[in-house]
Amino acid sequence: VSSPRESFAPPFQCHFRSLLRVFQAAASVQVFNRRVVPYYRTILAACALKFTEMKPENFCHLMQALSRLQYRDEKLITMLQKTALTWPTVPHKILVKAANSAAKLDLATQLWCKPLAIALCQAVCENTLIVKEFMNIKWITAVEMFDDSTMINYLYRAEAVKREQLSDLRYSRHLQVVELYVRLCKEEAVWQQLNDNVKEFLRDLRKDDESAEEERERLKEEKRLAEEKRRREINKYRKRLKKYGEDARPLAAKKTKTERLPMSCPFHREVSELLSSAGLQLMNGLKAGPFNLDMFHGPTNTVIEVCPEWQFYANTTHLTSRSRVRHMLIRKMGFNLALVPFQTWESLSIADDRLSWLSRHLPRHLRLPELIQERDTRREAAC
């Protein structure tokens, strides 16, 4: 029987692979609970004691888990420092995963991340990535890590992959965001250097190739398959009923498709309903390029974006790199952008306090204080 001292052994007595499995298990279900973040810090500190035993692949898997958990720590810089000289020698699959993780963790501007970015840029420019590895490059990685020449090579390779009909994987949204970034931020350096074939390829990504007739046929086929599946379930239930009688497992309830609402999250719904109650006319879920805008006020060309918890790194007020770049691109598109962070929203529990905060912090041209005053005047007159 193990002693209490052995039963409650500190985590640094574990093998580092066991510690990695803990992170990977939590990352696979993306546990964002604030109460478990201190445990991540403890486990990562235990991993740091094993850094000398870890290979670049292990560091990559650890970074990948941390990026899924959106957990940043100063030990990430140490990890990049220890692997700085190894990136040109690792398999490209590991290289791409590590670069994606570093970009998601907003490490691209760190000095010790430069060797990783250089190795990835070299692989892209030399065209040594196989198609699957190339397709796995995320848009945030391209935006944060690629220089101008690498971005040009990346877009030419993407067009070549499509032309050679090798793109059986779906990656259009990543390229749509990259195209938006290039056209807004790299007009002269990159966009004007592309030939007409690449530009046409990028434009085609934004088109809906499915005609109305094809859409109707697709819906008919989906309905037919659903009916066939339901008939099979009913037949199986009848057989169970005949064999087991009342003890037979009941027939599963028929699933009904619900209409997708233009609300990104409950937080979005709360803010939208509160502003609408004040008389502010908003459009929810408006599509702008590759993005769906939370709330849009047409007369003033203003976008109101909520910043829920998952847009921040764990237990910080630091926006994730993807949220930061998204907001930058929305501003570059010419919209007036206003942000509503969840920290402030949760600190105000009363609707009037929340509306008062919105009236003070949203742009003045929305005339929210005047709308609130007009609403209150109408209510008083009605009473």
Side-chain angles (χ1 to χ4, degrees):
V1 179
S2 60
S3 65
R5 186 181 184 87
E6 294 173 344
S7 301
F8 298 94
F12 55 77
Q13 293 187 7
C14 300
H15 195 276
F16 72 84
R17 287 195 180 90
S18 300
L19 300 172
L20 286 179
R21 291 190 188 101
V22 173
F23 270 125
Q24 289 172 334
S28 64
V29 293
Q30 294 185 329
V31 179
F32 291 115
N33 194 321
R34 301 176 201 173
R35 291 177 294 180
V36 302
V37 172
Y39 295 100
Y40 295 158
R41 188 178 299 112
T42 302
I43 299 171
L44 187 57
C47 287
L49 299 176
K50 307 286 186 177
F51 278 175
T52 55
E53 305 174 24
M54 294 171 63
K55 298 179 180 179
E57 292 83 355
N58 304 131
F59 284 111
C60 172
H61 295 149
L62 180 56
M63 289 173 59
Q64 194 174 27
L66 293 174
S67 69
R68 289 175 179 169
L69 294 170
Q70 296 184 180
Y71 179 72
R72 295 179 88 241
D73 192 276
E74 62 274 5
K75 294 180 180 62
L76 286 165
I77 306 300
T78 306
M79 293 164 57
L80 290 172
Q81 182 179 359
K82 288 186 174 295
T83 55
L85 300 178
T86 63
W87 296 121
T89 63
V90 301
H92 287 157
K93 178 181 178 181
I94 299 297
L95 178 66
V96 171
K97 286 183 177 180
N100 287 338
S101 301
K104 291 176 183 177
L105 289 167
D106 205 7
L107 298 172
T109 57
Q110 296 291 332
L111 176 64
W112 289 109
C113 192
K114 296 301 180 184
L116 174 59
I118 292 171
L120 180 64
C121 290
Q122 184 177 1
V124 172
C125 292
E126 294 178 355
N127 202 15
T128 55
L129 297 174
I130 64 174
V131 173
K132 187 174 182 180
E133 294 165 350
F134 176 79
M135 308 278 269
N136 284 338
I137 298 175
K138 306 301 183 184
W139 68 264
I140 188 62
T141 307
V143 168
E144 293 281 271
M145 291 192 172
F146 288 176
D147 54 25
D148 295 344
S149 61
T150 306
M151 184 67 78
I152 293 172
N153 281 280
Y154 172 76
L155 294 174
Y156 272 104
R157 174 77 188 279
E159 190 272 335
V161 168
K162 181 69 175 180
R163 186 178 65 250
E164 295 167 6
Q165 297 182 348
L166 298 173
S167 59
D168 55 339
L169 304 176
R170 289 177 290 180
Y171 66 113
S172 61
R173 187 178 181 277
H174 291 290
L175 283 175
Q176 288 179 36
V177 180
V178 171
E179 181 205 3
L180 181 64
Y181 168 75
V182 167
R183 298 193 70 170
L184 294 177
C185 305
K186 300 285 184 178
E187 174 72 23
E188 296 182 2
V190 177
W191 182 253
Q192 294 182 5
Q193 308 302 319
L194 302 175
N195 61 27
D196 293 338
N197 291 335
V198 177
K199 292 180 181 179
E200 184 66 25
F201 157 69
L202 293 172
R203 279 193 290 267
D204 289 343
L205 290 176
R206 293 181 265 113
K207 294 179 181 177
D208 186 8
D209 297 328
E210 193 173 41
S211 65
E213 184 64 28
E214 290 173 340
E215 173 71 9
R216 284 193 293 270
E217 291 297 326
R218 184 180 64 81
L219 292 175
K220 284 182 182 179
E221 182 66 14
E222 286 184 359
K223 184 178 180 180
R224 185 185 66 80
L225 293 174
E227 290 175 351
E228 287 184 1
K229 183 179 179 181
R230 187 64 179 175
R231 281 197 295 269
R232 288 196 299 269
E233 291 176 352
I234 292 173
N235 291 334
K236 289 180 181 179
Y237 172 68
R238 286 173 178 169
K239 291 179 181 178
R240 291 198 304 270
L241 196 62
K242 185 177 180 180
K243 184 176 182 179
Y244 300 106
E246 295 181 356
D247 296 331
R249 179 166 53 86
L251 182 66
K254 185 177 180 181
K255 295 181 180 179
T256 57
K257 290 187 177 180
T258 57
E259 184 181 358
R260 183 181 179 275
L261 297 175
M263 304 291 182
S264 59
C265 61
F267 179 24
H268 175 189
R269 180 186 296 277
E270 290 178 7
V271 176
S272 178
E273 290 178 351
L274 191 60
L275 291 174
S276 298
S277 68
L280 195 62
Q281 300 297 321
L282 298 170
M283 297 175 63
N284 290 285
L286 180 70
K287 188 170 180 59
F291 301 130
N292 289 325
L293 307 178
D294 286 345
M295 291 161 279
F296 175 66
H297 187 250
T300 60
N301 197 36
T302 300
V303 173
I304 303 173
E305 287 270 303
V306 297
C307 299
E309 187 173 7
W310 63 78
Q311 288 194 11
F312 296 87
Y313 292 111
N315 281 15
T316 71
T317 57
H318 188 92
L319 282 168
T320 64
S321 56
R322 285 173 289 186
S323 299
R324 173 177 54 79
V325 175
R326 170 191 166 93
H327 297 160
M328 181 268 290
L329 292 176
I330 290 174
R331 289 190 178 97
K332 287 281 188 180
M333 282 191 280
F335 296 108
N336 301 308
L337 180 63
L339 303 178
V340 183
F342 85 96
Q343 297 95 335
T344 304
W345 194 258
E346 289 186 351
S347 66
L348 304 171
S349 57
I350 303 175
D352 289 341
D353 293 342
R354 290 175 171 177
L355 193 57
S356 176
W357 182 89
L358 290 171
S359 66
R360 293 194 308 270
H361 289 82
L362 291 184
R364 181 66 184 172
H365 54 251
L366 290 175
R367 297 183 62 253
L368 186 57
E370 290 84 348
L371 292 173
I372 296 173
Q373 187 175 2
E374 291 173 4
R375 183 201 63 178
D376 294 341
T377 303
R378 287 195 301 270
R379 287 180 178 177
E380 291 175 0
C383 294

